[in-house]
Amino acid sequence: MIERTLFNSDHQAFADAFQRFVDKEIAPFHEAWEEQGYVDRDVWRKAGANGFLCPSMPEAYGGAGADRLYSVVQMEALARGGFSGIGFGLHSEIVAPYILHYGTEAQKRKYLPLLASGEMVGAIAMSEPVAGSDLQGIKTTALVQPDGSYRLNGSKTFITNGWHADLVIVVAKTDPAAGAKGTTLLLVERGMPGFETGKRLKKLGLKAQDTSELFFNDVVVPAENLLGGPDFLGRGFVCLMEQLPWERLQIAIGAVAAAQAAIDWTVQYVKDRKAFGTTVAAFQNTRYTLAELQTEVQVARVFVDKCCELVNENRLDSATASMAKYWCSDLQCKVMDECVQLHGGYGFMWEYPITRAYADARVQRIYGGTNEIMKELISRQMGLGGR
């Protein structure tokens, strides 16, 4: 196998510390969290107290000032363990960066330390019942009022961390007639009158992830909660397009780590499992299938590691991130399906990690923009215009 050169000794020390945290604070409880449909709120506070939230945020705002590879370490550890209920990645590397990159100084000082400590859980509300990957088609409105505030109305769905969220970045139309140029990002806090969290959604996988609906009924959002202030009115779509490559790469990072874990589990299983007087590993079909899967995952790993280098240098472009997201999530689903097959009937039993990983994998091809949308974005950069 190709030796990885992405991480240095400091990253490895951080990985070891985070793995100890996972072994103590996550692994023993994740199965119970899957049953209840959400992780305990206390794990967020413990993660914050141990410096595992928002590590790439500057120290002035409560972070560690580390590079984004420290978060990659966390994403891989959680994916390897199948701990899909933990929403640290979205909180630390999607929500917090929006505030860091676009927020006013007052917004940064108000929210980032609370996100880093785990006192606040963050979410971002893009998808709607009638607008998933089509962000230009959102219907939620935030109309300016005479006093400068915004009256927010609409609903969002499939919101990761939505049930726990204390702070939500809401994508809304402040000028519905202006299309993408009328899109603005608002900071909405739990407790604002008219902001209601809906039911936790029951999903095929990610059963411990508190995915929920959010409702906004005449929510009065103060002018100071427009992300970035007046200069960012109508610039929400631009902000989304700038940040989505990193979000999509995060999906690819998790996909490769989860696929490798599935192969490792399956290699061990077929060595132990007997059929027709020999181990399942002795059959040529088993060996060749796993060899093919390992080859493809190794190829994906090298590509994703290169993308991680680029994102750490702020040089990752949208098309390349789209390639990583679509290719790796497709591969993840392929690996899970083949590994379930090699587990036989036990691959259909929820007590086996491969079964839960199979269920968790399917959404990877959908969220962050469907893989069909990824191909559209790639083709556009190739100069192949659509309608």
Side-chain angles (χ1 to χ4, degrees):
M1 301 298 176
I2 297 174
E3 181 181 359
R4 299 182 75 184
T5 58
L6 185 63
F7 304 118
N8 60 32
S9 58
D10 290 337
H11 296 127
Q12 188 56 57
F14 180 80
D16 294 341
F18 185 65
Q19 189 61 56
R20 289 192 293 272
F21 178 83
V22 169
D23 293 343
K24 180 181 178 182
E25 303 293 351
I26 295 175
F29 312 108
H30 199 266
E31 184 176 351
W33 293 339
E34 288 183 329
E35 292 291 330
Q36 72 180 12
Y38 58 94
V39 305
D40 287 344
R41 186 65 175 78
D42 197 44
V43 75
W44 287 91
R45 300 185 185 92
K46 290 178 179 178
N50 283 276
F52 294 133
L53 296 179
C54 305
S56 64
M57 291 302 102
E59 293 182 55
Y61 303 122
D67 63 50
R68 282 184 279 195
L69 296 182
Y70 285 82
S71 290
V72 173
V73 163
Q74 291 183 310
M75 295 169 198
E76 291 188 348
L78 293 172
R80 280 197 309 269
F83 303 124
S84 57
I86 308 298
F88 295 170
L90 180 136
H91 171 96
S92 298
E93 290 298 339
I94 296 178
V95 176
Y98 271 98
I99 299 172
L100 177 66
H101 293 140
Y102 308 117
T104 64
E105 187 61 28
Q107 290 167 349
K108 294 175 189 179
R109 294 197 176 280
K110 179 178 181 180
Y111 295 117
L112 289 178
L114 296 174
L115 292 173
S117 69
E119 293 173 72
M120 269 190 162
V121 173
I124 185 165
M126 300 185 200
S127 298
E128 297 182 2
V130 295
S133 298
D134 179 16
L135 294 177
Q136 296 189 55
I138 63 170
K139 303 298 182 185
T140 298
T141 60
L143 304 181
V144 67
Q145 303 300 298
D147 64 356
S149 66
Y150 295 87
R151 190 169 295 275
L152 179 64
N153 281 284
S155 63
K156 301 288 183 177
T157 193
F158 311 137
I159 307 305
T160 301
N161 294 349
W163 194 69
H164 272 317
D166 304 291
L167 176 68
V168 183
I169 299 175
V170 179
V171 183
K173 290 287 183 68
T174 45
D175 185 354
K181 294 182 179 179
T183 304
T184 300
L185 306 181
L186 299 171
L187 297 165
V188 179
E189 297 181 42
R190 179 184 293 275
M192 285 185 172
F195 171 32
E196 299 178 6
T197 301
K199 63 182 179 181
R200 294 191 308 278
L201 301 174
K202 295 182 179 180
K203 310 176 296 297
L204 169 67
L206 310 183
K207 292 188 180 296
Q209 174 53 249
D210 60 313
T211 313
S212 69
E213 301 170 314
L214 301 178
F215 299 98
F216 308 97
N217 301 301
D218 287 329
V219 180
V220 177
V221 182
E224 59 266 28
N225 280 45
L226 190 161
L227 181 62
D231 290 344
F232 280 83
L233 180 65
R235 292 186 59 194
F237 194 76
V238 173
C239 298
L240 293 169
M241 293 304 101
E242 289 177 350
Q243 294 303 312
L244 278 171
W246 175 217
E247 177 181 350
R248 288 164 178 161
L249 179 58
Q250 291 177 54
I251 295 171
I253 291 165
V256 175
Q260 184 62 61
I263 291 172
D264 294 344
W265 299 331
T266 305
V267 166
Q268 189 58 53
Y269 178 84
V270 298
K271 286 180 178 178
D272 296 337
R273 180 69 173 170
K274 297 290 183 66
F276 302 102
T278 187
T279 64
V280 175
F283 295 109
Q284 185 183 72
N285 176 70
T286 301
R287 301 195 309 274
Y288 284 14
T289 296
L290 287 168
E292 290 168 5
L293 296 178
Q294 185 61 80
T295 300
E296 292 182 72
V297 170
Q298 174 70 89
V299 171
R301 166 75 74 201
V302 173
F303 179 52
V304 168
D305 278 3
K306 181 59 180 179
C307 288
C308 288
E309 291 179 7
L310 291 173
V311 82
N312 213 34
E313 299 166 359
N314 295 313
R315 295 195 297 121
L316 181 67
D317 65 88
S318 177
T320 304
S322 297
M323 291 174 186
K325 191 272 181 186
Y326 116 70
W327 179 261
C328 295
S329 60
D330 272 4
L331 177 60
Q332 179 185 9
C333 288
K334 174 185 176 180
V335 169
M336 297 307 170
D337 186 67
E338 295 278 15
C339 288
V340 163
Q341 190 71 17
L342 289 173
H343 276 74
Y346 290 103
F348 204 65
M349 298 296 107
W350 195 253
E351 65 196 82
Y352 278 72
I354 189 62
T355 312
R356 299 194 295 275
Y358 176 89
D360 290 343
R362 187 58 184 85
V363 74
Q364 293 268 87
R365 294 162 60 191
I366 298 172
Y367 63 16
T370 66
N371 284 2
E372 291 73 20
I373 294 295
M374 298 303 99
K375 294 173 186 178
E376 180 67 22
L377 295 173
I378 296 164
S379 67
R380 288 180 185 178
Q381 191 178 63
M382 296 169 66
L384 302 171
R387 62 180 180 83

